[in-house]
Amino acid sequence: MSEPVVLSHYQARPALAAWAAGTRALALSLDLGLSAVGVALEDGGVRLPDGALLGWAALEAIADDENGCYAVWAGEPTKIARFSPATNRLISLMPTAGAPTMLLSGIPMHRIKGTDPMRDTRAKIAALGPVWGQVLDTATGLGYTAIAAAETAAQVVTIELDPAVLAVCRQNPWSRALFGNPRIEQLEGDAAAIVPTLGSGRFDCIIHDPPTFSLAGELYSAAFYGALLGVLRPGGRLFHYIGNPERRSGRNVTRGVIERLQRVGFRRVARRPQAFGVVAVH
């Protein structure tokens, strides 16, 4: 099956403006900004490369939705969103000027103010330091962390709790490398249950980027930190994303995280405010 066209208001609005200006051909991205192809603008709408016609009314609806991304099959757009029976939450793909982010119960899973999800991911990788060897990514999400880590790591093991998240991820053009890179191994299930089974001292680096404390408090517990310590080799490094350290909630969560990491045996625990997290060493 070929990949669908995926559009947001970032692509729909220029197409509408071009048609209003009398333009009959346009270089348009059909994969949320990753690339652009030539399309014809006709009385009925945009003629897509597969021959389907995406009507102007459908494009106007996409243009009006600043928080939605749409997969287009045979000229018919469908919003990329899933309700998760596992978590009782709505999961959707939200566009940005760069890579999209995921909304989990309306909460963006990446920083988007003054940055974008891919730059946010790169900041986390940079805070950890050189990424090499065996890497554990505790929360797949849209897969950006696993994809970036796999550029230099020998293997990345990434864990995702929710099948609905992976369903949204599969429709995101920016996540495609997650499913095609042989250095990425995907595991599905509860990280708290899976991590202790992964082998003592197996990993050289861990990137722990969980949902917010209010959504996944168990992934901030001393018990889970102890499990992370167990699968990290001596001298291995952990990056733990927490949230904005300038906010009161972020400061409070950070203090608790540092105390629990130290209590279970991590050392050299240090804040990395530029990446909204902390680093620690086995």
Side-chain angles (χ1 to χ4, degrees):
M1 181 183 297
S2 61
E3 300 288 355
V5 168
V6 184
L7 303 173
S8 74
H9 70 90
Y10 286 102
Q11 293 77 45
R13 290 175 182 175
L16 290 165
W19 175 250
T23 302
R24 294 297 179 265
L26 180 70
L28 184 67
S29 177
L30 305 180
D31 53 11
L32 297 180
L34 283 171
S35 65
V37 298
V39 296
L41 308 185
E42 304 177 3
D43 289 341
V46 175
R47 185 67 62 181
L48 300 174
D50 65 358
L53 189 68
L54 177 60
W56 294 118
L59 270 168
E60 288 170 357
I62 295 171
D64 288 341
D65 186 357
E66 295 195 345
N67 292 324
C69 297
Y70 291 78
V72 181
W73 293 100
E76 295 296 328
T78 302
K79 190 166 184 174
I80 298 176
R82 293 286 188 279
F83 179 78
S84 170
T87 62
N88 202 36
R89 297 175 184 135
L90 180 66
I91 299 160
S92 61
L93 199 62
M94 175 185 173
T96 76
T101 188
M102 182 177 286
L103 292 180
L104 184 58
S105 294
I107 300 174
M109 293 294 102
H110 299 87
R111 287 190 291 154
I112 55 176
K113 186 177 181 179
T115 185
D116 62 60
M118 201 56 68
R119 287 168 57 199
D120 179 36
T121 298
R122 295 292 181 187
K124 296 166 188 174
I125 297 288
L128 180 62
V131 174
W132 64 282
Q134 299 289 315
V135 177
L136 173 62
D137 169 31
T138 63
T140 305
L142 289 176
Y144 298 161
T145 297
I147 292 167
E151 292 174 2
T152 56
Q155 182 187 38
V156 178
V157 175
T158 183
I159 304 170
E160 178 52 55
L161 169 68
D162 195 342
V165 168
L166 293 176
V168 169
C169 188
R170 286 185 179 277
Q171 295 189 77
N172 176 23
W174 290 75
S175 300
R176 287 171 185 164
L178 179 69
F179 304 98
N181 190 329
R183 292 196 298 275
I184 299 176
E185 177 185 356
Q186 295 184 60
L187 301 177
E188 190 174 324
D190 183 352
I194 290 175
V195 167
T197 72
L198 295 178
S200 177
R202 172 178 173 181
F203 296 99
D204 301 288
C205 304
I206 297 176
I207 304 166
H208 183 40
D209 184 8
T212 61
F213 185 87
S214 62
L215 294 177
E218 70 280 4
L219 299 183
Y220 295 75
S221 69
F224 187 67
Y225 294 165
L228 293 179
L229 186 72
V231 299
L232 189 63
R233 69 165 178 81
R237 291 170 289 112
L238 164 77
F239 172 78
H240 186 335
Y241 179 83
I242 298 169
N244 190 347
E246 298 302 318
R247 293 182 179 175
R248 181 177 179 180
S249 60
R251 292 196 300 270
N252 291 341
V253 173
T254 299
R255 282 195 295 269
V257 165
I258 291 173
E259 186 277 326
R260 290 189 293 277
L261 287 173
Q262 292 173 330
R263 189 196 322 158
V264 302
F266 280 99
R267 59 191 177 88
R268 289 162 48 190
V269 182
R271 289 176 171 85
R272 290 292 184 268
Q274 75 279 9
F276 284 26
V278 300
V279 294
V281 177
H282 188 298

